[in-house]
Amino acid sequence: MLAILKRETKSYYNGMVGYVAGAVLAAFVGLYSTVYNLLSASPDFASVLYSTAIILLFVLPALSMRSFAEERRAGTDQLLLTSPVGIPSIVLGKYLAQVAVFALALLPACVLPLLLTLFGQVSLVSAYAALLAFFLLGAACLAVGTWLSAMTENQILAYLSTFAVLLVSYMMNSIQTLFTSGSTLAFIVFAVALLVAAVLVGVLCKSLPAGSAVFAAGAAALVALFRLRPAWLLSAFNAALGALALFEPFNSFVGGMFSVQGIVYYLSVIALFLFLTGQTLEKRRWS
Amino acid sequence: MIQVEHLTKRYGSRLAVEDLSFTVSDGCIYGLLGPNGAGKSTTMNILTGYLSPTAGTVRVDGHDILAEPKAAKAAIGYLPELPPLYTDMTVREYLLFAAELKGVKSRAARLEQLGQVSARAGLHGVEERLIRNLSKGYRQRVGIAAAMLGAPKVIILDEPTVGLDPAQIIEIRTLIRDLGKTHTVILSSHILSEVQSVCDRVLILSHGRLAAQGTPEELAAQLTARGGVRGTALGSAEAVLAAAQGVAGVAEVHITGEADGEVSFTAATAPGADCRAALSAALAAAGCPVTSLSAENLSLEDVFLQLTEDAQAPQPEAGAEQDAAPGPDAAPAPDDKAEVPVAPPPDDTAGPDAAPAAQDTAPAAQKEG
């Protein structure tokens, strides 16, 4: 794992990607900090990060896009997968390299709150808590990107799909507000999700009865719920959408709240997507 | 060393490898031979754990590749068809990385191995160059050097000489023979002369199945060979035909050409029978002096073609396409079938007995049918 981590990190700086990512993040953090902290004389560093968050949508997919897609295209995954190294180590090595590059790109941002203390009283705790959340948010985005990169051998496709997914998740809050009333829509969405799940089960188990059974059982439960407790359906739908809002927990840090929940959420997202990445690699060997 | 049992790999509805079983024992160079698409790369990818079999087991050094992948993979060094090189690294960086990946723990040990493998693979002088800037031959060497790292017992090379120029091919073959002294080597190829000149044992794959295995000589002998004689004689085609057909043991005679009163012919004979003396005497008696006469032995290529094409089109008749490449032309040039020089039948100046001997040693002796 260490070998892969070292090689990957180095290769980000062999090309331009590592430097560009660092430069872009530093430039925007600097810009917003100048505007918010210096020009408007505010000690609130978290709002700088809040505004910078959207930049992550553009920068992070560029870091994650190549991780597995390029490896597969060039055939170098054959070296990794035929070496006495487990898939978890490969995934972790490549992922941690991206995180390391991202962390290095964040270094300038780490210095800014300290600089601000020269000019007045700054809440370092809230600033660094927000920075931690920002880092975890980025790490979670990278995990999503790594998984999408493992699904394709085309870097551009990996970039675009990661960008799209992150964008939807960024806008999830406003999307959520569209669905506050009427449980019919929630019912339809759940029904479609159920159908997809049933088809997947049917295909994976190669048996029509299994798929039909899953669909029948799910549909019965869904209809019953819709008839008896439509409000539950709606709140479940909202909760599901809320879970997809990757940027939401970070926003609570910006508001000055240290949320353990948020940290656990990000760590779970990272674990889930790295697991999915491993599964994707594993599955490729079998197909 | 490697035991493969009932290996099957299915891509969707297509069977790439079907019920393949073989054993690779220590200290030999094995050749996996087959036409393109026969399942060679798939088999190698399964042996090395890159792909998983649909059914069947692979045991490397006693370790099942699925149950104990780390132990099994540690015993194997693999050079895939496309060398898995990071082109943005220097040769030295790459080999050090590969060594660490293969579990060579200390930096001193890695440096020591780096020195060993780059000396063996002939990489001195290019160690500090970017892999991106290396020629294909050197890239192949870097790939082979990487396969040697971590002291694996088996080295698996997938088409190691594909796309190289003749000089590079000779170099790589020498390197492979050298590797065979210290490792068990499995290499795949669709080039016969390569397998014939490098390998101790040959496995012939056809349509994902094991069509035959054995030493190159065994394979040639194993086939129920239809012997053949080719020659030229002076006289008319009819006279030659009549005289040759009268010889006991000659099953079929074809006239392949007639020019300036000299007739070329081929005669199919019973397996193992040598009718040259009788044929020569009969022709002479019929007033058709023999100007050349040679027996044809089946080369590995004949075995290969018969085995891999059996299921397909009917065999072309032994006849006009027959030609035997004499010794000098059959030097280790990259002789894809199409590139084998079409040489005239050997002169009889060397005497009828010298001809078959020359052909036994000619790797590219070729006959279709």
Side-chain angles (χ1 to χ4, degrees), chain B residues 63-80:
Chain B
H63 305 287
D64 188 292
I65 192 82
L66 291 179
E68 309 165 78
K70 278 190 189 174
K73 285 174 183 176
I76 292 181
Y78 181 37
L79 171 72

Side-chain angles (χ1 to χ4, degrees), chain A residues 6 10 71 77-78 81 285, chain B residues 50 52 73 80 86 93:
Chain A
K6 279 190 294 189
K10 215 174 151 195
E71 199 88 41
D77 59 335
Q78 283 192 308
L81 292 172
R285 300 171 55 199
Chain B
Y50 181 63
S52 299
K73 285 174 183 176
Y86 292 99
E93 281 172 345

Side-chain angles (χ1 to χ4, degrees), chain A residues 71-219:
Chain A
E71 199 88 41
R72 180 143 183 248
R73 193 195 58 74
T76 42
D77 59 335
Q78 283 192 308
L79 174 70
L80 301 181
L81 292 172
T82 59
S83 294
V85 180
I87 284 186
S89 306
I90 297 174
V91 172
L92 218 55
K94 289 183 107 21
Y95 173 70
L96 289 180
Q98 299 169 37
V99 173
V101 173
F102 176 56
L104 279 175
L106 275 187
L107 271 185
C110 297
V111 183
L112 284 178
L114 286 177
L115 282 180
L116 288 180
T117 55
L118 298 178
F119 305 106
Q121 206 163 24
V122 176
S123 166
L124 286 182
V125 175
S126 82
Y128 282 108
L131 204 55
L132 173 71
F134 188 73
F135 172 70
L136 286 175
L137 164 68
C141 293
L142 286 173
V144 175
T146 304
W147 177 57
L148 288 168
S149 174
M151 307 258 276
T152 170
E153 52 184 289
N154 183 336
Q155 290 192 56
I156 308 289
L157 204 61
Y159 182 93
L160 290 179
S161 56
T162 309
F163 179 75
V165 166
L166 293 184
L167 187 66
V168 167
S169 132
Y170 185 78
M171 301 191 311
M172 195 46 86
N173 243 0
S174 27
I175 293 175
Q176 220 174 342
T177 55
L178 299 177
F179 302 128
T180 44
S181 61
S183 47
T184 319
L185 185 75
F187 175 72
I188 293 171
V189 171
F190 275 120
V192 169
L194 177 64
L195 186 65
V196 170
V199 167
L200 270 181
V201 168
V203 168
L204 287 181
C205 302
K206 289 201 174 78
S207 89
L208 188 63
S212 315
V214 167
F215 185 73

Side-chain angles (χ1 to χ4, degrees), chain B residues 2 132 136 146 286 294 328 333:
Chain B
I2 296 186
R132 181 186 298 144
K136 200 162 172 13
S294 64

